[in-house]
Amino acid sequence: MSLQYAILGVLDARSMSGYELTRMFESSARWVWSAPQSQIYPLLRKLEGEGLVQGEDQVRGEKMRRVQYSITEDGRHALREWLRSPMDTPTIRDPQLLQALFFDMIEPAEADDVLAHQIEDLRTLIAQWEAHRERLLAKDTPLLKERLSQRDPADHDRIAALKAHVFTHLIESARSRAEWAEQARRILASSGSPVTAHADRPAH
Amino acid sequence: MSLQYAILGVLDARSMSGYELTRMFESSARWVWSAPQSQIYPLLRKLEGEGLVQGEDQVRGEKMRRVQYSITEDGRHALREWLRSPMDTPTIRDPQLLQALFFDMIEPAEADDVLAHQIEDLRTLIAQWEAHRERLLAKDTPLLKERLSQRDPADHDRIAALKAHVFTHLIESARSRAEWAEQARRILASSGSPVTAHADRPAH
DNA sequence: AAGTGCATGTAAGATGTTACATGATTAT
DNA sequence: ATAATCATGTAACATCTTACATGCACTT
């Protein structure tokens, strides 16, 4: 559902080939949506079938056809409809939190390792998001530049602030999660042998 | 992947029928995982096939067969393996944040409505999670009671604190999100006409 | 007699992941 | 030459959502 609008939103800034979109969405820890290449290409075809995007064949080299997709007026309309529609908070489905809920079933030291790994991972993400946020505020990302060039200069600050604000949340959220993990480590250490009843392996 | 371990984790506290598990996981805004009934029953069969859970047929009334599932030693072992394994932060895929990223394409008033709806929704969730958290700290949920009855009383506080801590994060996270949405409303209001270029409908 | 809750299932479709396959162009 | 990057696709599979179907037990 949402990937389609993510694509439309990006194409609204500028036209792109499937490959460029793929690079945007693949392994994009620093972006708000991710999708593998195998989802992008079929979806572009589908959107073209619905008239929301338009592909233009470009000859490159001998017979290499490289398709440049751009958003249509219908596509922009569909995107705006979606942007206007309120949605409920998506149901939480967080494997790491689920894991934490049952940490009393393993040794505190083992749970501690898992949490330490989470914290490490979060630090990396935070750094990436912070960097991206800074670039947005400086209006220094390729896509934002393209977008702003179509807009009234009086709005530039507001638009950049709005986009950066999304990343502010990602950063805040990851920071709060890291603090949560630290606190969880403290609770685990607080005392207590683990798994007294029905142990997985003979007590040692 | 994770649903299977969520089921095992619940069954570790006490045996249950598919129906009871369904009620646990369906529309469970107050829990950390959710799944519709159509996922539960087939998965239970699969887990039984793998020997991770064991179903016991119970006669009820005339010929009504009601199956009570319990976790096996293999199931407990598989669950512990999973609990010990570090995982990377799941890729963020948040439709609401995606929406916010393109709010510059619609009227500020329209975006404001969407954000107001989000905040309302978050308040409801926060209230539910807070209630659940309180009950966990008071060791007053049916499932936690069953679980604690199998464990050393000296660990009870630590276990309850650990579980409650998971909900603390959900609450903190939702609060931070609500504050973020309020801030976003302020940015939207900060000035600026919207969509100057390529308007969806004639400017008014 | 009809409705609600208990209880278990199937089917169709959307979405997402992992892996494989292919060929052209550009850089070393 | 060969490796990396550009570029586009398919296949198989797991997961998740929505909807429908069925029948018993208990209440009103």
Side-chain angles (χ1 to χ4, degrees), chain B residues 141-193:
Chain B
T141 84
L143 210 61
L144 184 59
K145 279 184 192 167
E146 305 256 10
R147 196 181 290 273
L148 293 182
S149 71
Q150 303 164 11
R151 305 293 290 273
D152 183 346
D155 291 332
H156 287 193
D157 280 351
R158 197 174 124 273
I159 295 172
L162 197 61
K163 306 217 180 254
H165 187 51
V166 171
F167 288 87
T168 302
H169 176 66
L170 292 174
I171 294 160
E172 281 295 303
S173 187
R175 279 212 192 105
S176 136
R177 181 62 164 266
E179 270 169 51
W180 170 85
E182 295 286 8
Q183 180 64 21
R185 295 174 87 173
R186 266 172 251 132
I187 294 172
L188 281 164
S190 72
S191 78
S193 47

Side-chain angles (χ1 to χ4, degrees), chain B residues 8-166:
Chain B
L8 289 175
V10 169
L11 289 183
D12 180 64
R14 79 169 167 85
S15 301
M16 277 189 200
S17 70
Y19 185 71
E20 283 175 289
L21 282 166
T22 295
R23 276 185 315 179
M24 275 238 100
F25 289 108
E26 217 168 42
S27 79
S28 59
R30 62 188 209 289
W31 224 63
V32 280
W33 205 267
S34 72
Q37 169 256 53
S38 62
Q39 263 190 294
I40 310 282
Y41 288 106
L43 190 48
L44 281 171
R45 298 268 170 148
K46 193 193 150 221
L47 292 176
E48 190 168 24
E50 290 167 1
L52 304 183
V53 306
Q54 208 184 340
E56 210 184 331
D57 282 20
Q58 286 182 345
V59 203
R60 200 164 80 105
E62 290 281 312
K63 51 194 158 181
M64 192 55 183
R65 116 195 116 90
R66 184 178 185 247
V67 190
Q68 196 79 1
Y69 289 95
S70 49
I71 192 168
T72 64
E73 270 314 306
D74 279 4
R76 241 176 230 119
H77 184 79
L79 176 54
R80 286 215 179 85
E81 278 303 307
W82 182 76
L83 291 173
R84 281 193 271 260
S85 55
M87 324 177 198
D88 285 352
T89 312
T91 47
I92 282 89
R93 226 181 255 116
D94 187 321
Q96 292 181 338
L97 283 187
L98 185 66
Q99 219 181 4
L101 206 59
F102 303 126
F103 271 167
D104 60 286
M105 288 183 70
I106 57 174
E107 304 284 334
E110 291 172 328
D112 196 78
D113 284 349
V114 170
L115 288 167
H117 177 271
Q118 287 182 19
I119 292 165
E120 257 318 289
D121 194 46
L122 286 167
R123 277 196 217 297
T124 312
L125 281 173
I126 290 168
Q128 285 174 13
W129 283 327
E130 278 177 339
H132 196 66
R133 182 172 175 280
E134 289 312 308
R135 294 189 66 198
L136 282 172
L137 284 175
K139 297 164 195 132
D140 193 32
T141 84
L143 210 61
L144 184 59
K145 279 184 192 167
E146 305 256 10
R147 196 181 290 273
L148 293 182
S149 71
Q150 303 164 11
R151 305 293 290 273
D152 183 346
D155 291 332
H156 287 193
D157 280 351
R158 197 174 124 273
I159 295 172
L162 197 61
K163 306 217 180 254
H165 187 51
V166 171

Side-chain angles (χ1 to χ4, degrees), chain A residues 186-200:
Chain A
R186 266 172 251 132
I187 293 172
L188 281 165
S190 71
S191 78
S193 48
V195 207
T196 24
H198 51 66
D200 195 25

Side-chain angles (χ1 to χ4, degrees), chain A residues 1-11 21 25 31 33 79 82, chain B residues 98 102:
Chain A
M1 247 289 87
S2 300
L3 174 58
Q4 130 168 216
Y5 298 106
I7 288 175
L8 290 174
V10 170
L11 290 182
L21 283 166
F25 289 109
W31 224 64
W33 204 266
L79 176 54
W82 182 75
Chain B
L98 185 66
F102 303 126

